[in-house]
Amino acid sequence: MRLQAFLARSGASPSRRKAEALISAGRVQINDRIASLGESITPDDRVLLDGKLIELPKEHAYLALNKPKRYLTTLKDDRNRPTVAELMPDGVPGLVPVGRLDGDTTGLLLLTNDGPFAHHVAHPSSEIEKEYEMTLASLPAKDLEERLATFERGPWLEDGKMLSPKLACLRRAGERTTLNLTIHEGRNRIIRRACAAVGLTLLALKRVRVGPVKLGGLPEGRYRELTEKELAILENIERRDLG
């Protein structure tokens, strides 16, 4: 395992990038020597940060969080903006978000300190569905139908064509139109960029499902443990992709 990944997974550093800074500063030791950037370690190695022994968590945690608006999906922000770290439980070393939601997007965010689990759930090859509730500014019926049809085919974006999403549960109320969108790719701000590309005004975006895990009635800003059934389904997806 790469040393910076070990430091991030252990909770000694909030991210791999921050871990690299610790290593470059000479604060990390492997056994009895100062570590160098880019090194890997084995299970028999002893890793110390500022002279303190660092270990991986002995137990894994798997949580679902309902992320409020304006909270950043990171563990620390240099501008002191609110982050999801403020909503995570204390005393769980190495806990990190699985993937990310941008600051203006609310809803379901998975958290874990199991690195391989996080990687496979977030990786595009797993093709795990992510369902969102989109609120749009209403348009005349014909215009809305045409733009949603273009959206559903998958618009071309600056970084390539969007895979065709699934649209469902269209409902209109006054000047707002709400529908559910299901995708399994996670390019940066892809839904917002796709809306802009087809001329839809996105007013609100909330993730309501990741694979078998549903947001349900989880209060905003709160978290819960994943159920055994939810974990079993996600782990089966991993085994299928690795097989």
Side-chain angles (χ1 to χ4, degrees), residues 128-146:
I128 294 176
E129 288 187 342
K130 299 171 182 69
E131 184 178 354
Y132 296 79
E133 181 182 88
M134 296 197 310
T135 302
L136 306 169
S138 286
L139 292 167
K142 184 177 180 181
D143 289 345
L144 181 63
E145 182 179 348
E146 290 176 351

mmCIF file of all heavy atoms in Angstrom, residues 128-146:
data_model
loop_
_atom_site.group_PDB
_atom_site.id
_atom_site.type_symbol
_atom_site.label_atom_id
_atom_site.label_comp_id
_atom_site.label_asym_id
_atom_site.label_seq_id
_atom_site.Cartn_x
_atom_site.Cartn_y
_atom_site.Cartn_z
ATOM 1 N N ILE A 128 -22.869 1.365 -10.411
ATOM 2 C CA ILE A 128 -23.879 1.461 -9.355
ATOM 3 C C ILE A 128 -24.764 2.673 -9.638
ATOM 4 O O ILE A 128 -24.271 3.791 -9.819
ATOM 5 C CB ILE A 128 -23.208 1.574 -7.977
ATOM 6 C CG1 ILE A 128 -22.468 0.262 -7.663
ATOM 7 C CG2 ILE A 128 -24.242 1.871 -6.890
ATOM 8 C CD1 ILE A 128 -21.684 0.291 -6.377
ATOM 9 N N GLU A 129 -26.065 2.448 -9.663
ATOM 10 C CA GLU A 129 -26.999 3.534 -9.981
ATOM 11 C C GLU A 129 -27.028 4.592 -8.877
ATOM 12 O O GLU A 129 -26.979 4.266 -7.690
ATOM 13 C CB GLU A 129 -28.412 2.973 -10.174
ATOM 14 C CG GLU A 129 -28.598 2.182 -11.448
ATOM 15 C CD GLU A 129 -30.040 1.802 -11.676
ATOM 16 O OE1 GLU A 129 -30.830 1.836 -10.713
ATOM 17 O OE2 GLU A 129 -30.390 1.475 -12.826
ATOM 18 N N LYS A 130 -27.131 5.835 -9.312
ATOM 19 C CA LYS A 130 -27.310 6.955 -8.400
ATOM 20 C C LYS A 130 -28.556 7.707 -8.865
ATOM 21 O O LYS A 130 -28.629 8.151 -10.001
ATOM 22 C CB LYS A 130 -26.087 7.859 -8.404
ATOM 23 C CG LYS A 130 -24.816 7.135 -7.957
ATOM 24 C CD LYS A 130 -23.587 7.992 -8.168
ATOM 25 C CE LYS A 130 -22.335 7.242 -7.775
ATOM 26 N NZ LYS A 130 -22.024 6.113 -8.687
ATOM 27 N N GLU A 131 -29.528 7.815 -7.971
ATOM 28 C CA GLU A 131 -30.800 8.447 -8.317
ATOM 29 C C GLU A 131 -30.916 9.802 -7.628
ATOM 30 O O GLU A 131 -30.613 9.938 -6.452
ATOM 31 C CB GLU A 131 -31.962 7.549 -7.897
ATOM 32 C CG GLU A 131 -33.322 8.096 -8.302
ATOM 33 C CD GLU A 131 -34.465 7.163 -7.925
ATOM 34 O OE1 GLU A 131 -34.186 6.035 -7.458
ATOM 35 O OE2 GLU A 131 -35.628 7.576 -8.100
ATOM 36 N N TYR A 132 -31.361 10.780 -8.408
ATOM 37 C CA TYR A 132 -31.489 12.155 -7.923
ATOM 38 C C TYR A 132 -32.917 12.656 -8.132
ATOM 39 O O TYR A 132 -33.597 12.247 -9.074
ATOM 40 C CB TYR A 132 -30.547 13.097 -8.673
ATOM 41 C CG TYR A 132 -29.081 12.817 -8.470
ATOM 42 C CD1 TYR A 132 -28.460 11.786 -9.173
ATOM 43 C CD2 TYR A 132 -28.317 13.580 -7.605
ATOM 44 C CE1 TYR A 132 -27.104 11.519 -9.003
ATOM 45 C CE2 TYR A 132 -26.958 13.318 -7.430
ATOM 46 C CZ TYR A 132 -26.366 12.292 -8.129
ATOM 47 O OH TYR A 132 -25.035 12.027 -7.958
ATOM 48 N N GLU A 133 -33.319 13.569 -7.277
ATOM 49 C CA GLU A 133 -34.552 14.325 -7.491
ATOM 50 C C GLU A 133 -34.148 15.706 -7.991
ATOM 51 O O GLU A 133 -33.428 16.440 -7.301
ATOM 52 C CB GLU A 133 -35.343 14.439 -6.189
ATOM 53 C CG GLU A 133 -36.658 15.185 -6.340
ATOM 54 C CD GLU A 133 -37.383 15.309 -5.025
ATOM 55 O OE1 GLU A 133 -37.114 16.305 -4.301
ATOM 56 O OE2 GLU A 133 -38.189 14.420 -4.687
ATOM 57 N N MET A 134 -34.602 16.041 -9.218
ATOM 58 C CA MET A 134 -34.269 17.325 -9.831
ATOM 59 C C MET A 134 -35.490 18.236 -9.802
ATOM 60 O O MET A 134 -36.592 17.808 -10.135
ATOM 61 C CB MET A 134 -33.861 17.159 -11.304
ATOM 62 C CG MET A 134 -32.623 16.364 -11.550
ATOM 63 S SD MET A 134 -31.997 16.655 -13.242
ATOM 64 C CE MET A 134 -33.455 16.404 -14.232
ATOM 65 N N THR A 135 -35.283 19.478 -9.410
ATOM 66 C CA THR A 135 -36.335 20.488 -9.484
ATOM 67 C C THR A 135 -35.929 21.523 -10.519
ATOM 68 O O THR A 135 -34.851 22.131 -10.415
ATOM 69 C CB THR A 135 -36.564 21.156 -8.123
ATOM 70 O OG1 THR A 135 -36.897 20.158 -7.153
ATOM 71 C CG2 THR A 135 -37.704 22.163 -8.208
ATOM 72 N N LEU A 136 -36.781 21.687 -11.537
ATOM 73 C CA LEU A 136 -36.492 22.578 -12.657
ATOM 74 C C LEU A 136 -37.482 23.734 -12.697
ATOM 75 O O LEU A 136 -38.614 23.611 -12.213
ATOM 76 C CB LEU A 136 -36.592 21.818 -13.982
ATOM 77 C CG LEU A 136 -35.767 20.542 -14.131
ATOM 78 C CD1 LEU A 136 -36.204 19.799 -15.385
ATOM 79 C CD2 LEU A 136 -34.281 20.858 -14.170
ATOM 80 N N ALA A 137 -37.059 24.847 -13.280
ATOM 81 C CA ALA A 137 -38.000 25.924 -13.582
ATOM 82 C C ALA A 137 -38.916 25.447 -14.703
ATOM 83 O O ALA A 137 -38.443 24.913 -15.707
ATOM 84 C CB ALA A 137 -37.251 27.184 -13.994
ATOM 85 N N SER A 138 -40.220 25.601 -14.524
ATOM 86 C CA SER A 138 -41.174 25.102 -15.514
ATOM 87 C C SER A 138 -41.067 25.864 -16.827
ATOM 88 O O SER A 138 -40.697 27.041 -16.863
ATOM 89 C CB SER A 138 -42.600 25.216 -14.972
ATOM 90 O OG SER A 138 -42.828 24.227 -13.997
ATOM 91 N N LEU A 139 -41.374 25.125 -17.893
ATOM 92 C CA LEU A 139 -41.411 25.669 -19.250
ATOM 93 C C LEU A 139 -42.744 25.295 -19.873
ATOM 94 O O LEU A 139 -43.437 24.406 -19.371
ATOM 95 C CB LEU A 139 -40.273 25.065 -20.089
ATOM 96 C CG LEU A 139 -38.836 25.445 -19.728
ATOM 97 C CD1 LEU A 139 -37.865 24.519 -20.435
ATOM 98 C CD2 LEU A 139 -38.563 26.895 -20.122
ATOM 99 N N PRO A 140 -43.122 25.930 -20.985
ATOM 100 C CA PRO A 140 -44.286 25.446 -21.719
ATOM 101 C C PRO A 140 -44.130 23.959 -22.025
ATOM 102 O O PRO A 140 -43.018 23.483 -22.265
ATOM 103 C CB PRO A 140 -44.275 26.297 -22.985
ATOM 104 C CG PRO A 140 -43.585 27.563 -22.580
ATOM 105 C CD PRO A 140 -42.535 27.147 -21.589
ATOM 106 N N ALA A 141 -45.232 23.233 -22.021
ATOM 107 C CA ALA A 141 -45.194 21.773 -22.117
ATOM 108 C C ALA A 141 -44.373 21.275 -23.299
ATOM 109 O O ALA A 141 -43.563 20.344 -23.162
ATOM 110 C CB ALA A 141 -46.617 21.225 -22.187
ATOM 111 N N LYS A 142 -44.535 21.878 -24.477
ATOM 112 C CA LYS A 142 -43.825 21.413 -25.660
ATOM 113 C C LYS A 142 -42.324 21.626 -25.521
ATOM 114 O O LYS A 142 -41.516 20.736 -25.834
ATOM 115 C CB LYS A 142 -44.342 22.134 -26.904
ATOM 116 C CG LYS A 142 -43.702 21.620 -28.194
ATOM 117 C CD LYS A 142 -44.291 22.317 -29.419
ATOM 118 C CE LYS A 142 -43.638 21.785 -30.698
ATOM 119 N NZ LYS A 142 -44.182 22.473 -31.898
ATOM 120 N N ASP A 143 -41.929 22.826 -25.021
ATOM 121 C CA ASP A 143 -40.504 23.113 -24.833
ATOM 122 C C ASP A 143 -39.896 22.150 -23.829
ATOM 123 O O ASP A 143 -38.787 21.627 -24.037
ATOM 124 C CB ASP A 143 -40.311 24.551 -24.349
ATOM 125 C CG ASP A 143 -40.595 25.576 -25.434
ATOM 126 O OD1 ASP A 143 -40.661 25.177 -26.613
ATOM 127 O OD2 ASP A 143 -40.753 26.768 -25.102
ATOM 128 N N LEU A 144 -40.593 21.910 -22.724
ATOM 129 C CA LEU A 144 -40.082 21.012 -21.698
ATOM 130 C C LEU A 144 -39.911 19.599 -22.252
ATOM 131 O O LEU A 144 -38.885 18.949 -22.024
ATOM 132 C CB LEU A 144 -41.029 20.998 -20.498
ATOM 133 C CG LEU A 144 -40.608 20.100 -19.324
ATOM 134 C CD1 LEU A 144 -39.296 20.569 -18.724
ATOM 135 C CD2 LEU A 144 -41.704 20.061 -18.263
ATOM 136 N N GLU A 145 -40.894 19.136 -23.005
ATOM 137 C CA GLU A 145 -40.840 17.787 -23.576
ATOM 138 C C GLU A 145 -39.636 17.640 -24.507
ATOM 139 O O GLU A 145 -38.918 16.634 -24.457
ATOM 140 C CB GLU A 145 -42.136 17.498 -24.336
ATOM 141 C CG GLU A 145 -42.201 16.110 -24.930
ATOM 142 C CD GLU A 145 -43.510 15.856 -25.649
ATOM 143 O OE1 GLU A 145 -44.448 16.670 -25.502
ATOM 144 O OE2 GLU A 145 -43.580 14.851 -26.381
ATOM 145 N N GLU A 146 -39.393 18.648 -25.353
ATOM 146 C CA GLU A 146 -38.278 18.575 -26.302
ATOM 147 C C GLU A 146 -36.933 18.576 -25.575
ATOM 148 O O GLU A 146 -36.037 17.807 -25.913
ATOM 149 C CB GLU A 146 -38.356 19.754 -27.275
ATOM 150 C CG GLU A 146 -39.520 19.654 -28.254
ATOM 151 C CD GLU A 146 -39.634 20.881 -29.141
ATOM 152 O OE1 GLU A 146 -38.899 21.877 -28.868
ATOM 153 O OE2 GLU A 146 -40.441 20.856 -30.091
#
